[in-house]
Amino acid sequence: MKYEFPVTRTTNPKAKPDPNNLPFGKFFTDHMFIIEYDEGQGWHDGRIVPYAPVELDPAAVVFHYGQEMFEGLKAYRTVSGGVQLFRPDMNAKRTNNTNDRLCIPAVDEEMYVEAVKQIVKVDADWIPDKKDTSLYIRPFIIATEPTLGIHVSRSYKFIIILSPSGPYYANGLEPTKLYVEDKYVRATAGGTGEAKCGGNYAASLKAQVVAAEAGYDQILWLDGVERKYVEEVGTSNAFFVIGDEVVTAPLEGTILPGITRNSCIQVLKDNGYKVSERRMSIDEVVEAYNKGMFNEMFASGTAAIISPVGTLKYKDTVMSINGGKIGPVAQFLYDTIYGIQTGAVEDTYGWTVPVE
Ligand SMILES: *Cc1c(COP(=O)(O)O)cnc(C)c1O
């Protein structure tokens, strides 16, 4: 093995959370992976250590200018008791795309996947095995150089933490209520919309708070120029079933290229669905609704996999989709993708990577 990271085991293991009542992202395992970057030295001293707070100089670049990126993937306990990852090479590749946009030095993609595998192996007894649970993996990179002048940091920390998690939405596959945001925008072409970085989220919180106050779970973003074309949903990509066409926004720099999105498109195409990656205006959605052709809507992302949408509100129009229930396309995708992830459905794509 090219990468073998030294492990310092905790002397103080934590109690495991109740597997029957697991929230998303609140509990963390006993260990974490960390590797540092320094100009002239590159990435160095990768290691697995007890989970602990990180000490940073108050002048660290990340605190002032937000030079930061993150990823999200999961380890699943399979039906036969093994442990596997889902397309981790795609996360490694996307990390480097994000890094490039934020002037963070590239990481070796093979090292990245090895680091994920090794930290998951160390904390494998934290992987829950109840239905709809998994071990959420959060790799992230922060700029650590303690200098205030605005510039590209010359030092970084890349850390991986793990969180045993239940369904992203407490109600599982219960359809969500979405609010179409027509005031605030998330991204415009040329910005950082296709980078997975904290800055995008900081800028989206205000709209999320306003939507929550109005009784909605999440936002459906429109394009940042005309506020006309549907883009994505909070933390996930958006799919619409209009008649027999499954539509999702194209990758033109403003949305995050979701790995779940990519997997959904592949699975749908291979099963004879008509899938279009195209611009679609919110007016077209409303028109389809009025004609009785807006059959389904769902969001796709690692955290929830597939999250059906039951209600969509745009200005004064409140659309109830598929009677507020999960539709057949969303159910099929959830069963197929979650099935592949957990080994219940045969992986004909080579998407799964065993950890042990
Ligand atoms: C992470 C993320 C997604 C989903 O990507 P996956 O790879 O499917 O998890 C979608 N939109 C945004 C804004 C994201 O940050």
Side-chain angles (χ1 to χ4, degrees):
M1 195 186 297
K2 193 163 147 205
Y3 296 99
E4 184 75 65
F5 301 106
V7 180
T8 308
R9 299 231 166 225
T10 180
T11 50
N12 198 5
K14 293 179 269 200
K16 308 259 186 328
D18 175 5
N20 295 308
N21 201 3
L22 263 184
F24 180 84
K26 290 214 171 117
F27 293 98
F28 298 95
T29 64
D30 282 326
H31 301 89
M32 63 186 194
F33 170 84
I34 182 162
I35 188 167
E36 273 109 11
Y37 177 95
D38 285 286
E39 197 174 82
Q41 233 185 322
W43 292 103
H44 63 89
D45 289 299
R47 60 206 184 272
I48 291 169
V49 294
Y51 186 96
V54 175
E55 189 168 284
L56 289 176
D57 192 291
V61 168
V62 65
F63 292 138
H64 307 276
Y65 310 119
Q67 202 190 358
E68 183 269 359
M69 66 78 54
F70 70 94
E71 268 299 330
L73 68 161
K74 283 172 167 179
Y76 302 85
R77 182 69 68 186
T78 66
V79 287
S80 53
V83 175
Q84 62 189 22
L85 304 170
F86 185 71
R87 313 188 75 182
D89 52 307
M90 297 276 282
N91 296 93
K93 204 165 137 207
R94 189 169 64 190
T95 292
N96 278 337
N97 290 340
T98 299
N99 285 8
D100 181 63
R101 182 65 182 80
L102 297 179
C103 299
I104 296 171
V107 294
D108 181 301
E109 293 174 18
E110 196 187 327
M111 184 280 284
Y112 188 103
V113 173
E114 265 311 310
V116 170
K117 279 188 188 169
Q118 289 180 35
I119 181 68
V120 167
K121 227 182 253 183
V122 166
D123 277 335
D125 57 344
W126 282 83
I127 307 173
D129 59 2
K130 285 246 145 41
K131 187 165 161 33
D132 301 327
T133 64
S134 58
L135 185 70
Y136 185 76
I137 304 166
R138 166 55 57 86
F140 64 103
I141 302 174
I142 51 174
T144 55
E145 188 187 344
T147 322
L148 289 185
I150 179 115
H151 70 293
V152 174
S153 179
R154 282 174 281 247
S155 59
Y156 299 85
K157 283 184 196 295
F158 168 25
I159 301 174
I160 305 174
I161 55 174
L162 308 173
S163 175
S165 293
Y168 188 72
Y169 295 107
N171 300 328
L173 279 179
E174 194 98 330
T176 57
K177 289 174 72 177
L178 299 193
Y179 181 96
V180 182
E181 179 56 59
D182 58 357
K183 178 178 172 197
Y184 301 105
V185 300
R186 193 191 90 91
T188 50
T192 55
E194 63 187 347
K196 206 164 174 81
C197 61
N200 286 341
Y201 280 90
S204 76
L205 292 173
K206 180 73 184 173
Q208 179 63 44
V209 167
V210 172
E213 278 167 3
Y216 289 81
D217 302 303
Q218 286 270 348
I219 295 153
L220 172 66
W221 294 105
L222 299 178
D223 75 280
V225 177
E226 297 180 71
R227 292 177 180 68
K228 180 175 170 187
Y229 298 101
V230 297
E231 295 222 315
E232 62 178 322
V233 178
T235 55
S236 38
N237 296 109
F239 286 82
F240 302 78
V241 184
I242 306 289
D244 64 357
E245 181 191 16
V246 186
V247 184
T248 192
L251 301 179
E252 291 177 346
T254 56
I255 65 167
L256 209 285
I259 296 162
T260 319
R261 173 190 180 279
N262 177 283
S263 309
C264 287
I265 292 171
Q266 187 73 51
V267 166
L268 288 171
K269 283 187 175 164
D270 290 349
N271 285 276
Y273 288 88
K274 182 177 166 204
V275 189
S276 310
E277 292 175 70
R278 66 170 176 91
R279 287 189 134 202
M280 180 168 64
S281 70
I282 186 67
D283 293 332
E284 183 184 338
V285 176
V286 173
E287 202 185 303
Y289 178 74
N290 290 332
K291 286 188 190 149
M293 288 174 64
F294 184 11
N295 294 332
E296 262 186 76
M297 181 177 175
F298 51 89
S300 74
T302 295
I305 310 174
I306 300 293
S307 172
V309 177
T311 306
L312 183 66
K313 179 179 190 289
Y314 176 57
K315 297 192 194 286
D316 294 329
T317 309
V318 178
M319 296 172 265
S320 171
I321 308 157
N322 194 41
K325 291 195 292 288
I326 183 167
V329 180
Q331 188 72 57
F332 166 70
L333 282 172
Y334 183 83
D335 293 344
T336 306
I337 294 176
Y338 184 67
I340 291 173
Q341 289 167 336
T342 54
V345 170
E346 192 197 347
D347 174 13
T348 54
Y349 297 100
W351 282 344
T352 52
V353 174
V355 164
E356 46 183 24

